[in-house]
Amino acid sequence: EVQLVESGGGLVQPGGSLRLSCAASRFTFSNFWMSWVRQAPGKGLEWVANIKQDGSEKNYVDSVKGRFTISRDNAEASLYLQMNSLRAEDTAVYYCVRGGNWGDYWGQGTLVTVSS
Amino acid sequence: SYELTQPPSVSVSPGQTARITCSGDALPKKYAYWYQQKSGQAPVLVIYEDTKRPSGIPERFSASSSGTMATLTISGAQVEDEADYYCYSTDSSDNHRVFGGGTKLTVL
């Protein structure tokens, strides 16, 4: 079964930075687009960003453009999300998702809390 | 920006048929996807490309799409189907990837 394990979440002050990681296993990581999706506490799902198999194409939701950067390391089967200039409204569980336009497998998520 | 609209809640008795709708202007041209999220868990894909069911998803889950509305149907809903259900799609130019607001299904 496909496995996606996120890490790197935690408490950060407004304006701070955090880097999320997702370790993928039990599938050929380099063959798939990958995405990050987030969910604020008690709220719905929001697609955040995706990245093509070779990293040559990346897309972001408008609210994170210029602040977040998605990247990947196919040799390590890992997906990343560098989050800068964090705001309170970025507080959410962040899910690593296999797929670009839609996702068939999701990790369990990592919680990011932006608060002073 | 693009929006998908779902009813906030749907309630049925065990064994009844539950229907959850999702409306969006681009749905005549774009596929709809459906996710189930149980309390405290990650979402699970239950329908992809309008009508297809991933392996391991019970046959009581089905879906259709007509015009600007997609519908998830759970035939003979069970207590274990209680969850939030989200539809997902893109706008006509694939510039915006959006989830519906979610529908809380209660089976009691």
Side-chain angles (χ1 to χ4, degrees):
Chain A
E1 174 94 346
V2 167
Q3 196 162 24
L4 299 167
V5 180
E6 302 93 338
S7 61
L11 175 64
V12 61
Q13 292 189 338
S17 298
L18 213 54
R19 189 194 196 207
L20 306 183
S21 300
C22 170
S25 59
R26 302 179 186 172
F27 70 101
T28 304
F29 181 75
S30 58
N31 286 353
F32 290 86
W33 279 76
M34 295 294 295
S35 299
W36 288 98
V37 175
R38 68 183 178 184
Q39 186 171 35
K43 301 296 185 181
L45 300 169
E46 181 182 39
W47 176 86
V48 175
N50 66 10
I51 184 168
K52 196 175 179 178
Q53 289 91 328
D54 62 359
S56 63
E57 185 175 339
K58 305 174 185 181
N59 300 287
Y60 301 91
V61 68
D62 287 346
S63 59
V64 309
K65 282 180 182 175
R67 301 189 299 123
F68 290 12
T69 301
I70 189 172
S71 63
R72 64 191 296 161
D73 183 336
N74 286 341
E76 296 292 326
S78 293
L79 178 71
Y80 305 102
L81 187 67
Q82 177 66 43
M83 304 185 295
N84 298 330
S85 303
L86 282 161
R87 307 167 180 167
E89 54 264 37
D90 296 318
T91 294
V93 173
Y94 285 74
Y95 294 102
C96 172
V97 180
R98 189 178 84 165
N101 258 351
W102 59 281
D104 55 358
Y105 288 95
W106 297 51
Q108 285 303 304
T110 187
L111 176 62
V112 172
T113 303
V114 185
S115 175
S116 55
Chain B
S1 62
Y2 184 54
E3 291 185 358
L4 295 173
T5 302
Q6 298 180 236
S9 63
V10 168
S11 183
V12 297
S13 299
Q16 287 189 327
T17 295
R19 292 182 179 86
I20 299 172
T21 59
C22 172
S23 64
D25 290 342
L27 289 178
K29 304 175 186 176
K30 295 297 180 180
Y31 286 127
Y33 302 81
W34 291 93
Y35 294 91
Q36 175 195 68
Q37 186 179 33
K38 296 183 178 180
S39 181
Q41 298 183 21
V44 172
L45 180 70
V46 294
I47 295 289
Y48 67 101
E49 293 180 355
D50 284 348
T51 60
K52 299 175 182 176
R53 192 174 56 247
S55 61
I57 300 301
E59 291 185 6
R60 62 180 180 274
F61 288 87
S62 65
S64 62
S65 187
S66 177
T68 60
M69 184 166 292
T71 302
L72 174 69
T73 300
I74 307 171
S75 303
Q78 301 182 8
V79 173
E80 68 209 52
D81 298 330
E82 276 205 350
D84 293 325
Y85 290 85
Y86 294 90
C87 62
Y88 168 86
S89 189
T90 65
D91 66 1
S92 55
S93 57
D94 285 338
N95 285 335
H96 295 94
R97 298 162 179 80
V98 298
F99 291 90
T103 298
K104 182 175 183 61
L105 175 65
T106 302
V107 183
L108 54 74

